[in-house]
Amino acid sequence: MRKHVLLYGLIAGVLIVVLQLIEYRWLVIEHSVEIYGGLVAAVFASLGIWLGLKLTRRTETIVVREVMVPAPANFVRDDSKVESLGITPRELEILQLIAEGLSNKEIAGRVFVSENTVKTHSSRVFDKLGARRRTQAVQRGKELRLIP
Amino acid sequence: MRKHVLLYGLIAGVLIVVLQLIEYRWLVIEHSVEIYGGLVAAVFASLGIWLGLKLTRRTETIVVREVMVPAPANFVRDDSKVESLGITPRELEILQLIAEGLSNKEIAGRVFVSENTVKTHSSRVFDKLGARRRTQAVQRGKELRLIP
DNA sequence: CAGCGCGTCACCCGAACGTATGATTTTTGG
DNA sequence: CCAAAAATCATACGTTCGGGTGACGCGCTG
C-alpha cells in the first residue's frame, strides 16, 4: 500500500516535469491550454483510477469451506467437570467399565480388585453424579463428557 | 456501476467548463499554466481515485464458512439390524428407556404397563442382543445403531 | 507427625434385576 | 377368518446392585 503511494508520487512528479517540458512547445499554439488541461486531466484521472484499483485490489477468492466432522471420532474428556465433581481417576475408570456393560464382578476381575471395592467406587461415583442406577450413571457420564 | 460512470462524466464536464471559465481570469497571470495544470491534475486524480474505489468496492466478498457438523445430531436407526435381530417396536422402546437410565418400575409407569411386562420385554431384548445386563444391552444397542 | 485424600476391603440388607415358565389378549397378515 | 406375531401380566427364584457403615494402608502436605 505504502509503496503504491510512493510510486504514485514519483510518477506524478516525473509526469509534471515531462508535461512542463512539453508545455514549452505547445504553449506557442494558441488555445492549447484546453488541450493541455484535458491531457493532464486524462492522464491523472486514469492514474487515479489505476491507483484506486490498486489500493482496493482484493484478489480474495470466495472461500466456502464446509468441514463435515464426525464428532464421535474425537472425544475429549471434560476434565474440568471431572474435577469439579470431585471424581477420582479410579472412580472414572470404574465408570468407564460400567459403561462398557461389565458387571461388578467382571470389573473386579479386570482391574484386579475385590468386587466390594468396585462397589465402593461405583457407589461413590453414583453419588457424585447424582445417579441411582448404573445405567443412569452412564447416561450422566456421557452427557457430561466424562466418558466417550 | 454504470451510473457512477455517468456521474463521473457529468462532473468531469462541469468541472472542465468551470475550469475554462476560471481560466480566463487566471490566464492573465503569467506562468499560471502550471498552477492550472496542477489543479486539474489534483482534481482529476482524486476523482479517479474515488472512481476506482467506487468501482471495486463490495467486490470483496470474503466468505469463509466453516461448518462443524456434530454427527450425533443426525441419528438414523439401523432398521435392517432391528429387523434381522427380530426386535419388536415395543422392545426397542423399552431398550431406549433403559438407555435413559430408568428403572423397570419407572419404565412401567412411563409406558403404562406392569413392571412384569417391562421385565419380559427387557429379557427378550437382552436375549436378542446377547446381553446379560441392561448396561450391556445399552452398549450393544448403541453399537448396532438401534438407539441414539 | 497429624490430617487428609485416595484406594482398598468387608459385611449386611433391602431393592432392583434377570430368568424361567405359563397364560391371556390384541394385532397383524395371508 | 385364522394362525402367527406381538404385547400383556403373573408368580417364583436366584443374582446383581446399591446404600450404609466401618476399617486399614499409603502417600502427600501443612
Side-chain angles (χ1 to χ4, degrees):
Chain A
M1 181 79 83
R2 181 147 292 172
K3 65 178 178 185
H4 284 146
V5 174
L6 288 170
L7 189 65
Y8 174 74
L10 201 69
I11 292 174
V14 171
L15 270 168
I16 285 173
V17 171
V18 170
L19 286 168
Q20 269 191 345
L21 288 174
I22 293 169
E23 171 203 17
Y24 289 108
R25 298 198 198 148
W26 284 89
L27 204 59
V28 292
I29 302 168
E30 222 173 324
H31 292 314
S32 71
V33 180
E34 289 92 335
I35 299 170
Y36 171 69
L39 216 134
V40 170
V43 168
F44 276 81
S46 47
L47 215 61
I49 291 176
W50 170 81
L51 219 214
L53 254 56
K54 266 294 176 198
L55 283 175
T56 57
R57 176 71 100 237
R58 297 271 167 81
T59 20
E60 218 101 11
T61 43
I62 301 170
V63 183
V64 179
R65 228 185 331 154
E66 291 208 15
V67 187
M68 282 284 285
V69 181
N74 39 19
F75 165 75
V76 278
R77 186 183 341 279
D78 190 342
D79 292 304
S80 65
K81 286 215 191 71
V82 174
E83 201 174 347
S84 67
L85 289 169
I87 296 174
T88 70
R90 200 54 155 174
E91 287 164 358
L92 197 57
E93 189 184 355
I94 268 61
L95 179 60
Q96 267 175 200
L97 294 170
I98 287 176
E100 286 175 27
L102 301 182
S103 70
N104 287 339
K105 191 172 294 191
E106 285 167 341
I107 294 171
R110 185 79 70 91
V111 295
F112 303 109
V113 294
S114 83
E115 192 184 339
N116 288 314
T117 305
V118 175
K119 286 170 77 175
T120 305
H121 286 314
S122 58
S123 272
R124 292 223 179 95
V125 85
F126 293 167
D127 185 48
K128 287 167 184 174
L129 288 175
R132 300 193 152 280
R133 288 165 285 287
R134 44 180 51 215
T135 46
Q136 210 175 25
V138 169
Q139 219 249 344
R140 304 271 299 118
K142 284 177 186 285
E143 265 181 16
L144 299 171
R145 301 197 150 282
L146 309 181
I147 51 177
Chain B
M1 180 80 84
R2 182 147 293 171
K3 67 179 178 185
H4 283 144
V5 175
L6 287 172
L7 189 64
Y8 173 72
L10 198 68
I11 292 173
V14 170
L15 270 168
I16 285 173
V17 171
V18 170
L19 286 168
Q20 269 191 344
L21 289 173
I22 292 169
E23 172 202 17
Y24 289 110
R25 297 201 197 145
W26 286 87
L27 203 60
V28 291
I29 302 167
E30 223 172 322
H31 292 315
S32 72
V33 181
E34 288 92 336
I35 298 170
Y36 172 69
L39 216 135
V40 171
V43 169
F44 277 81
S46 47
L47 217 63
I49 290 175
W50 171 80
L51 220 211
L53 254 54
K54 269 292 175 198
L55 283 174
T56 56
R57 186 143 295 173
R58 72 170 49 92
T59 321
E60 30 157 314
T61 344
I62 311 165
V63 182
V64 182
R65 228 186 326 155
E66 201 157 333
V67 184
M68 277 287 285
V69 180
N74 37 19
F75 165 76
V76 279
R77 190 188 330 286
D78 190 343
D79 292 304
S80 66
K81 286 217 191 69
V82 175
E83 200 173 351
S84 69
L85 290 170
I87 296 174
T88 70
R90 199 55 155 173
E91 287 163 358
L92 197 57
E93 190 183 354
I94 268 65
L95 179 60
Q96 268 176 198
L97 294 171
I98 287 175
E100 287 176 25
L102 301 182
S103 70
N104 287 339
K105 192 171 293 190
E106 285 167 341
I107 294 171
R110 184 79 71 92
V111 295
F112 302 109
V113 295
S114 82
E115 191 184 338
N116 288 315
T117 305
V118 174
K119 287 168 80 173
T120 306
H121 285 314
S122 59
S123 271
R124 281 207 237 275
V125 84
F126 292 167
D127 186 47
K128 287 167 184 174
L129 287 174
R132 299 192 152 278
R133 287 165 286 289
R134 46 179 51 216
T135 46
Q136 209 174 25
V138 169
Q139 219 251 342
R140 305 270 299 120
K142 284 177 185 287
E143 264 182 15
L144 300 171
R145 301 203 146 278
L146 309 180
I147 51 178

